[in-house]
Amino acid sequence: MSQINKEEWKQKIMEALTQVFDPEIPVDIVNLGLIYDLQISDEGDVYIKLGLTASGCPVVDDLVYTVEQVIKETVPAKKVDVDIDLETPWSPLRMTPEGREKFKKLYGYDIVEMWVQTYGLPAQEQKS
């Protein structure tokens, strides 16, 4: 088997996953910052760790299935392992600038600004 170009695979996977939308917020999982980790082994196994916008998400199985299918259709992965991270809470601070803009267009306000006003910045992100 030829050498796997992991960077190319990551790029293709991330691009394809912009077509997968969060069930709670109609913004894709990439721009919401829900992809916490993406690893590709030399053998062609793909591991992806996803966060959830809501911990009790009722459609988590559908989301896992959709992400698996999108990855399998995008790259010739031998195995796809989708892990849901219930430990790390999602916050709007994880969103990409594009995700923030999409959210603003949908709801008419900047969720990140509102979050920071309500909860403040996490200690590691505050400027001293």
Side-chain angles (χ1 to χ4, degrees):
M1 187 171 144
S2 62
Q3 186 68 26
I4 292 165
N5 184 333
K6 293 180 189 180
E7 282 311 304
E8 187 181 310
W9 274 34
K10 279 185 181 179
Q11 221 173 346
K12 284 180 173 179
I13 290 169
M14 292 297 275
E15 199 173 300
L17 290 175
T18 61
Q19 302 307 307
V20 179
F21 289 81
D22 178 78
E24 304 287 321
I25 304 170
V27 174
D28 67 86
I29 62 173
V30 173
N31 285 300
L32 277 175
L34 291 176
I35 295 169
Y36 291 2
D37 193 12
L38 173 59
Q39 295 174 16
I40 296 157
S41 75
D42 293 333
E43 294 76 41
D45 296 335
V46 176
Y47 169 82
I48 188 163
K49 186 188 286 189
L50 298 177
L52 300 171
T53 53
S55 59
C57 181
V59 292
V60 68
D61 294 339
D62 294 345
L63 187 63
V64 167
Y65 176 79
T66 303
V67 167
E68 277 177 9
Q69 293 310 306
V70 166
I71 292 171
K72 287 175 182 173
E73 290 167 15
T74 305
V75 294
K78 277 173 68 183
K79 189 176 102 190
V80 177
D81 185 18
V82 180
D83 188 17
I84 298 295
D85 183 342
L86 298 173
E87 304 297 306
T88 310
W90 175 83
S91 93
L93 301 176
R94 291 181 169 271
M95 292 172 82
T96 65
E98 190 181 330
R100 279 177 75 175
E101 285 306 311
K102 287 180 179 182
F103 190 93
K104 268 192 253 188
K105 283 189 179 98
L106 284 165
Y107 297 103
Y109 69 94
D110 186 338
I111 188 172
V112 175
E113 281 177 17
M114 191 171 159
W115 179 272
V116 170
Q117 286 170 1
T118 306
Y119 302 103
L121 279 172
Q124 73 270 19
E125 294 191 28
Q126 287 179 352
K127 309 224 179 350
S128 50

